[in-house]
Amino acid sequence: MNLTEDPIYEFDVDNDQQAMALALVQAGFGMLNTTPNPRVGCVIVKNRRVIGAGFTQPPGGNHAEIQALADAAARGQDVRGATVYVTLEPCSHFGRTPPCADALVKAGVARVVAAIADPNPLVAGQGLAKLQAAGIEVACGLLEEEATEINIGFLHRMRTGKPWVRMKTASSLDGKTALHNGVSQWITSQAARDDGHIWRARACAIMAGIGTIAKDDAQLTVRAIETPRQPRRIVVDSKLVVTPEARVIQGGGTWVFTAADDREKTAALEAQGAEVIVLANADGKVDLPALVRELGQRQINELHVEAGAKLNGSLVREGCVNELLVYLAPNLLGEGRNMFDLPPLEDLSGKVGLHFTEVKQIGPDLRILARFN
């Protein structure tokens, strides 16, 4: 986006909430390419006008605050005495780039308003404290819920060490993902399938089980929309049967989690650029909780799962899923394949509880977002 043509520079900013809402829009511009860093937006306001704006660039590039300061400088604007609105607490440590808090102090701004504090142990309030110690007025907590949603994966990883796991599935209104013979293309509309690729694009990684890979020769890539990067591809394959010729392996970079320590098969996959990670549980299956923890250590913020009923059910039973992304088509299929392979219940007290966070129509279908209680 060409910020020179952005209309945010053309009207008065009347209050803090309005300014933070503009910063959140900026954060959204980095939705697809900041991983593993958070998506952060920043606007600088002086005399009720936005004089600078920016959002976090891909890893190694400028953070949002630095982008906004540079934008103001490019416009010939003096930021001294201005108020900075940023969707996440400015960093206070040296990483790939210098501390943003230091840059704001040096710039001479008068006030910094953050939407949320950064739970990263390297920051954790130190950024705001550094600003305050320099005589800058600080505030935190404005539009906190909206800012949290933009960075749900990063924040969850910083707090728990694990990525935010979002499981996508598409079914008929009676909950069938395929006919009894396995035919599934297409239950939902093109609009729903394209929307699913938008959710793929924002994820750090896309994961499927070997059943899905074998059935569809799935690529696990974003194709329906343009994206500046492809998410990491992950295959759960307990017996290590995926072949080096599978499309999911082509191009390199795929992580294959398995319970089989097969050196010959591993070598063949690694020759194609894949990485094979052995994580076995006592039953000879992939240890799914350990897999999720491993992905957190590998800086995966959001994991997008598109799997069959078997892996879906296992992930739910193991408590590895945070959110369901369900597309419901207005049709009935009768006997067929379910979304989840879960054991039968004898009592309703054993039901798995969720709560709806969004229901929206996408073309003729419904998109439902539901989080586990």
Side-chain angles (χ1 to χ4, degrees):
M1 179 177 184
N2 184 352
L3 293 179
T4 302
E5 300 173 357
D6 196 306
I8 66 172
Y9 301 100
E10 299 175 3
F11 60 85
D12 290 341
V13 178
D14 295 324
N15 53 58
D16 286 348
Q17 185 163 325
Q18 187 182 65
M20 187 61 77
L22 294 174
L24 287 166
V25 171
Q26 292 293 313
F29 295 146
M31 184 65 73
L32 304 184
N33 63 3
T34 66
T35 184
N37 294 331
R39 303 146 178 156
V40 183
C42 178
V43 297
I44 304 173
V45 176
K46 188 174 183 179
N47 298 326
R48 299 179 62 204
R49 302 302 294 266
V50 174
I51 61 171
F55 55 93
T56 298
Q57 301 300 294
N62 288 337
H63 289 188
E65 300 93 321
I66 307 304
Q67 284 289 106
L69 289 171
D71 182 51
R75 297 173 186 281
Q77 299 290 338
D78 183 359
V79 302
R80 288 176 296 179
T83 297
V84 175
Y85 298 87
V86 61
T87 59
L88 184 68
E89 176 185 1
C91 64
S92 56
H93 65 289
F94 282 89
R96 292 186 180 95
T97 59
C100 292
D102 290 355
L104 294 174
V105 171
K106 184 178 179 180
V109 302
R111 183 169 174 251
V112 174
V113 181
I116 49 179
D118 190 344
N120 185 341
L122 296 175
V123 185
Q126 297 177 64
L128 294 176
K130 180 176 284 191
L131 295 171
Q132 202 164 26
I136 296 173
E137 180 186 346
V138 300
C140 187
L142 182 62
L143 298 187
E144 182 175 8
E145 183 176 341
E146 293 85 346
T148 296
E149 288 301 315
I150 288 177
N151 279 310
I152 189 74
F154 174 81
L155 297 172
H156 186 72
R157 179 169 69 87
M158 286 297 132
R159 290 166 179 154
T160 69
K162 298 181 289 187
W164 181 263
V165 180
R166 182 180 295 114
M167 179 178 286
K168 178 259 181 181
T169 186
S171 78
S172 60
L173 200 56
D174 53 348
K176 303 304 177 183
T177 61
L179 302 179
H180 66 92
N181 59 7
V183 173
S184 61
Q185 296 180 348
W186 296 104
I187 295 172
T188 53
S189 67
Q190 185 67 51
R193 297 197 296 276
D194 289 350
D195 189 73
H197 276 249
I198 295 173
W199 288 90
R200 279 189 179 191
R202 69 171 280 169
C204 303
I206 304 171
M207 187 173 82
I210 186 58
T212 298
I213 300 302
K215 175 179 178 290
D216 301 328
D217 196 14
Q219 299 179 67
L220 303 188
T221 56
V222 178
R223 300 182 300 279
I225 65 167
E226 291 187 10
T227 179
R229 62 162 185 93
Q230 286 290 343
R232 177 77 61 176
R233 295 176 294 175
I234 300 173
V235 179
V236 180
D237 181 7
S238 290
K239 297 181 180 180
L240 200 58
V241 299
V242 66
T243 67
E245 294 76 30
R247 291 197 295 178
V248 73
I249 300 298
Q250 303 310 303
T254 303
W255 295 342
V256 181
F257 284 87
T258 185
D261 190 7
D262 188 317
R263 302 298 174 85
E264 184 177 345
K265 289 183 178 179
T266 294
L269 293 169
E270 289 178 344
Q272 295 297 319
E275 181 182 355
V276 178
I277 303 103
V278 180
L279 282 179
N281 63 17
D283 298 322
K285 304 287 187 181
V286 172
D287 187 328
L288 296 175
L291 181 156
V292 173
R293 291 192 298 270
E294 176 68 19
L295 294 182
Q297 292 175 7
R298 292 175 178 234
Q299 296 188 306
I300 298 297
N301 292 333
E302 292 185 22
L303 175 65
H304 181 95
V305 178
E306 291 200 26
K310 187 174 181 180
L311 180 55
N312 283 351
S314 296
L315 286 164
V316 169
R317 287 197 306 273
E318 295 278 2
C320 295
V321 186
N322 301 105
E323 181 174 51
L324 296 183
L325 169 64
V326 180
Y327 294 90
L328 283 183
N331 51 52
L332 303 174
L333 299 185
E335 183 179 350
R337 301 191 178 181
N338 297 321
M339 290 186 270
F340 311 98
D341 184 1
L342 294 170
L345 297 176
E346 301 299 330
D347 191 281
L348 282 174
S349 62
K351 64 182 180 290
V352 179
L354 300 97
H355 59 278
F356 295 127
T357 57
E358 182 189 77
V359 178
K360 183 176 181 179
Q361 186 160 351
I362 305 293
D365 306 313
L366 287 183
R367 183 184 73 196
I368 298 172
L369 284 170
R371 291 179 180 171
F372 287 82
N373 294 335

